[in-house]
Amino acid sequence: MTNETSGSQKTPAVLFACSKNGGKSQLAAGLMNQLANGDVTVYSAGTKPGKSLNPQAVESLAELGIDITGEHPKPVTDEVLDRVDAVIVLGTEAKVEPREGTRFEVWETDEPSERGIEGMERMRLVRDDIKARVQKLHAELTAEVGP
């Protein structure tokens, strides 16, 4: 995906980061890609990328018609950090240094396992929490580059 410009408008870009880039950041990226339909450039990465995606994360997105089977965990790079307008860190485990001029947020997402909720039920709750946050972020990012 590229940042396309039309006139003075630039497509906003966002990086969703977590530690392993196998679950929450992939959920957020998949949800944003579906919602934005090309009007936001989306990246996901991990501070300590794992070996594979969380199968429950993949399945929970598939339930919403989002296919991320071609995705894989990727590291956070300076190249991506230089390119994005917003960095969203999911959870408190991943540590990313804020950059001047770049929107930076840490989303402490719902953790149903702390309430004894596991498996797909847990993943759906995490997904739905992230989805609500992604919808708000999308509205903010696209409003900033509106007419």
Side-chain angles (χ1 to χ4, degrees):
M1 289 190 189
T2 58
N3 277 357
E4 294 178 14
T5 53
S6 58
S8 63
Q9 292 187 353
K10 176 175 155 299
T11 303
V14 62
L15 167 65
F16 293 105
C18 64
S19 57
K20 296 187 183 75
N21 190 221
K24 292 177 181 177
S25 57
Q26 294 283 352
L27 287 171
L31 290 160
M32 180 63 87
N33 274 322
Q34 181 190 53
L35 181 63
N37 200 22
D39 64 8
V40 175
T41 303
V42 181
Y43 300 94
S44 73
T47 53
K48 297 174 185 165
K51 293 189 174 30
S52 61
L53 300 187
N54 178 325
Q56 290 177 339
V58 174
E59 185 180 336
S60 75
L61 287 176
E63 291 175 351
L64 301 180
I66 301 169
D67 180 7
I68 62 165
T69 51
E71 283 296 329
H72 61 280
K74 299 170 285 300
V76 174
T77 64
D78 284 334
E79 181 185 0
V80 169
L81 288 170
D82 288 342
R83 201 176 290 165
V84 298
D85 303 295
V87 175
I88 309 299
V89 179
L90 290 99
T92 54
E93 197 177 321
K95 301 294 181 218
V96 179
E97 283 297 314
R99 291 197 169 196
E100 195 170 327
T102 301
R103 178 177 177 163
F104 185 85
E105 295 178 22
V106 176
W107 290 356
E108 292 188 39
T109 53
D110 183 27
E111 193 37 77
S113 59
E114 293 172 358
R115 302 188 301 277
I117 301 170
E118 298 293 343
M120 276 310 293
E121 185 182 357
R122 171 193 172 268
M123 191 57 67
R124 286 184 193 107
L125 289 167
V126 170
R127 175 200 67 199
D128 293 347
D129 177 37
I130 293 171
K131 183 177 182 181
R133 295 165 187 254
V134 162
Q135 288 169 331
K136 180 177 181 286
L137 177 66
H138 175 260
E140 292 168 359
L141 288 174
T142 54
E144 289 169 12
V145 297

